[in-house]
Structure formats: C-alpha cells, structure tokens
Amino acid sequence: MDITILGIESSCDDTSAAVLRGTTLLSNVIASQAVHVKYGGVIPELASRAHQQNIIPVVDTALKDARVSIDKIDAIAFTRGPGLLGSLLVGTSFAKGLAIANKIPLVEVNHLQGHILSHFVDLPDRELPHPEFPFLCLLVSGGHTQIVKVNSPLEMEIIGSTIDDAAGEAFDKCAKVMGLPYPGGPVIDRLAKEGNPKAFTFAKPHVKGEFDYSFSGLKTSFLYTLRDAVKEDADFVEKNKADLCASLQSTIIDILLDKLIKATKLLGIKDVAIAGGVSANSGLREAVAEAGRRRGWRTFIPELKFTTDNAAMIAISGYYRYKQGMISDLGISPVARLEEIL
Ligand code: KG4
Ligand code: ZN
C-alpha cells in the first residue's frame, strides 16, 4: 500500500491542508485570508488568528474530500519555516497535537523546498510532467527569489538569491504605490495584458553575484517615475496604469530571465522549472516557455493551483522525507528564517 501523507501549510496568509497517496493528490484545501486586503499587506497578528479559526475545518475538509480517516495517515507533514512565526506556530502546534493524539509520525518541511517539489505531485486522473535531476528551478515568491540547483528531492543548492527585495515584493510594493489592492502581483498581471511593455523604462540592477538578484533599485526607479509624473499631471497613474503595469512586469521578467539563462549555460542544465507565487504570472510563464523553445530546454511550468501557497507541496516534500526515515522530534518548534533550517 502506498504511503498516505497529510500536509499542513500555514506559513503566511493561506491555511491549507492536503492528502497525498504515493505522489497522487487526493485533496488540497486552501482557505485564503481576506482580512489583510483592507490593510494593503499581511498583518501577522491577524494572520495567526485567522489560521487558528481555519485550521480545524481545513484539515477536516481535506480528510473528508480525500475519503481518508486520520487512522489511515502514515505521517503528518507541516511547514516548519520560513514564514511568519505566529502563523507557523499555529500549523506546527496543530500538527504536533494531531500527531501525539493519533500516534502518527511528524515530518517537518521547508516551505521553499515545498514550492520546488510541487513539480512532483500527480493528479488522480493524470500524471503531471516531472523534471529530471539535476534541474534548475527559479523560485519566485512573495518573500524569496532564488535560482536553485535541485540534485534530488532532498538535496538542493541555492546558487543565486536576491540581495534585497523578492520579485513578489517588487510586484506588491509597486502595486501599492499605484493604489492597487493587495496582493498586487495578480492585479498587475491582469492590467499588463492591456498595456505596452515598452512605454516606460525602469532601472535594471547590476549585481555583483553572478546569479544574484536585486529588486529594490527597480522599486525606487518606479517610485521616482511616478512621483515626477504626478507633479505634472495628477491623473498620470490612472491614465497610464496598463502601460505602467506592462512595463514593470516586463522589466521584472527580463531581470529574472537574464540570470536564469546564464545559470543554465554555466551549469549545462536543460531541465528548467519555475515555482512560487510569482510563477503564476502569465508574462513570466510565456517568457520561460519561449526561452526554453529557443534554447532547447524542457520547461516545467506548474499548474496555477500549485504556484501560490498550498499544502499539496508540503505533503509531497513530507512524502520524500518520510520515505528516507526523516521523522521530526515532537519537541520541534518553527523557524521564521530560512538559513536556520537548510
Ligand atoms: O508563494 P506565495 O504564495 O507566498 C510566499 O511564499 O511568499 O507568493 C506570493 C506572491 C505575492 O507577492 C503575489 O503578489 C505573487 O506571489 N503573485 C503574483 C501572481 N500571483 C501571485 N505575482 C505576479 N503575477 C501573478 N499572477
Ligand atoms: Zn510560498
């Protein structure tokens, strides 16, 4: 009988639970927290409270949707970090309680490894394409931007990282400046479709590290463009929204692809994946697919439901760890920063 894993994700503002049998996803329930929209960003204290309200019904629904009772679960995988400490605490404490009460092994998962391993989840009615090892993954989320060399499900090397803001942050912060709702990424994606990507030019970074990124200069350049233009015409943003979004998005994509292409060349790797919330961006998805066609890569673009935070990716990471006997101690506590758990 295949291993059955319950995955629990609570690192930021989505409470999610999923059940996986082998690598096949039986259920994946996500409760997103609308409470943050009116503040234009995630408020950690409110996120923790919403996780507390959501976690029992979300886990319950995931088990029911999968038609699996708790006594059939072989291991409980949970996000240990990185993320908001209060949010992580809710998921970790709940996972521990459930594990102790039902005598089920507990498996800690690194959220970022989860995003990458979402490429190995299959659906009940079809297998999804899986990259071959070693492959390169451009991991682009709200908090992280990295190029990762993935040697196996459990062995990953970060070969490049952002030295300041993440790509998702660049989307969200620039959206906020334009008065767009949070999270800004999907809104910019939608508006960019109507705009001219060459209408505005924003600063591109020169970063020392060969595969490292920087997005804070772009954010400043965007801010100055808006500030100067609004002095001349108070309706500037309103009139140019689509062009601003298209130009910003295409600059972010150019920055991301430039280093990714360099990394594939230097390492001679042709299986290239993208993962994380920003991999939902339609422009980025097209650009990576196009770069792949031109350069003979096999590209792996995740289904939209596996791009933003979800517990299916935590369950698949837990699956690989559990198979290797990597069981966590019941005294385990969450870790907010990535460096502490790699
Ligand atoms: O991976 P994720 O759900 O959470 C973190 O682990 O951070 O990523 C969230 C980020 C946010 O910054 C959000 O604006 C961005 O992903 N995002 C997008 C799109 N959908 C989500 N950015 C650009 N285009 C999108 N379609
Ligand atoms: Zn994430």
Side-chain angles (χ1 to χ4, degrees):
M1 181 75 170
D2 269 340
I3 298 166
T4 307
I5 306 277
L6 169 67
I8 296 176
E9 155 65 29
S10 73
S11 67
C12 189
D13 59 344
D14 295 296
T15 320
S16 180
V19 176
L20 198 71
R21 175 154 300 145
T23 59
T24 304
L25 186 63
L26 301 183
S27 67
N28 187 28
V29 178
I30 304 172
S32 297
Q33 304 178 356
V35 61
H36 309 289
V37 174
K38 65 173 178 250
Y39 300 103
V42 177
I43 309 292
E45 181 57 31
L46 296 181
S48 312
R49 276 192 235 167
H51 282 305
Q52 274 181 328
Q53 283 167 355
N54 292 341
I55 197 145
I56 293 174
V58 164
V59 171
D60 197 42
T61 308
L63 289 168
K64 283 192 179 127
D65 282 2
R67 295 171 189 276
V68 169
S69 55
I70 190 74
D71 57 307
K72 296 286 182 297
I73 297 291
D74 293 300
I76 299 172
F78 70 99
T79 305
R80 186 178 179 207
L84 301 170
L85 196 55
S87 292
L88 292 165
L89 262 170
V90 177
T92 306
S93 311
F94 184 82
K96 274 201 236 180
L98 202 61
I100 293 168
N102 295 282
K103 300 192 171 54
I104 302 172
L106 198 58
V107 179
E108 69 189 84
V109 170
N110 176 324
H111 179 84
L112 300 177
Q113 292 190 357
H115 272 301
I116 295 171
L117 293 177
S118 63
H119 281 284
F120 295 90
V121 174
D122 289 309
L123 298 176
D125 57 343
R126 69 200 146 99
E127 281 191 9
L128 296 175
H130 306 312
E132 269 172 35
F133 301 106
F135 67 94
L136 279 184
C137 185
L138 173 67
L139 174 65
V140 270
S141 72
H144 295 83
T145 300
Q146 300 175 337
I147 300 177
V148 182
K149 180 167 174 260
V150 188
N151 298 319
S152 78
L154 299 174
E155 201 201 323
M156 305 187 187
E157 291 169 58
I158 298 170
I159 63 164
S161 245
T162 179
I163 57 167
D164 41 54
D165 290 353
E169 251 173 307
F171 274 108
D172 296 340
K173 287 180 177 170
C174 292
K176 197 168 185 175
V177 174
M178 286 188 280
L180 300 175
Y182 177 85
V187 185
I188 291 182
D189 191 354
R190 187 162 39 77
L191 289 168
K193 294 196 170 96
E194 316 290 322
N196 171 10
K198 296 203 161 42
F200 297 96
T201 309
F202 304 116
K204 285 196 186 155
H206 298 280
V207 187
K208 271 210 195 113
E210 204 171 7
F211 305 125
D212 288 339
Y213 290 112
S214 161
F215 287 98
S216 78
L218 168 63
K219 180 187 63 190
T220 310
S221 158
F222 187 82
L223 200 77
Y224 284 172
T225 303
L226 256 61
R227 197 192 57 181
D228 294 345
V230 168
K231 275 189 206 147
E232 307 285 319
D233 175 3
D235 295 331
F236 172 81
V237 174
E238 203 44 51
K239 285 181 194 156
N240 295 282
K241 216 171 248 179
D243 284 349
L244 285 167
C245 289
S247 303
L248 173 70
Q249 179 170 301
S250 100
T251 311
I252 294 176
I253 294 170
D254 282 354
I255 296 171
L256 289 171
L257 277 230
D258 179 45
K259 296 280 172 101
L260 180 63
I261 291 168
K262 275 192 194 136
T264 61
K265 280 187 194 154
L266 190 89
L267 298 172
I269 292 179
K270 284 185 177 279
D271 270 19
V272 180
I274 55 173
V278 180
S279 70
N281 184 267
S282 57
L284 178 64
R285 296 164 78 87
E286 274 165 36
V288 170
E290 174 58 23
R293 276 192 292 274
R294 260 197 262 143
R295 292 178 169 76
W297 302 345
R298 292 202 308 163
T299 50
F300 298 85
I301 317 278
E303 299 219 343
L304 284 177
K305 59 176 170 294
F306 297 137
T307 57
T308 46
D309 291 347
N310 65 85
M313 69 189 204
I314 303 306
I316 188 82
S317 307
Y319 165 82
Y320 287 116
R321 293 178 80 86
Y322 180 70
K323 276 211 312 187
Q324 293 300 316
M326 299 167 85
I327 307 298
S328 300
D329 191 272
L330 287 171
I332 196 165
S333 47
V335 195
R337 290 185 64 80
L338 166 74
E339 292 77 20
E340 295 169 45
I341 53 173
L342 255 188

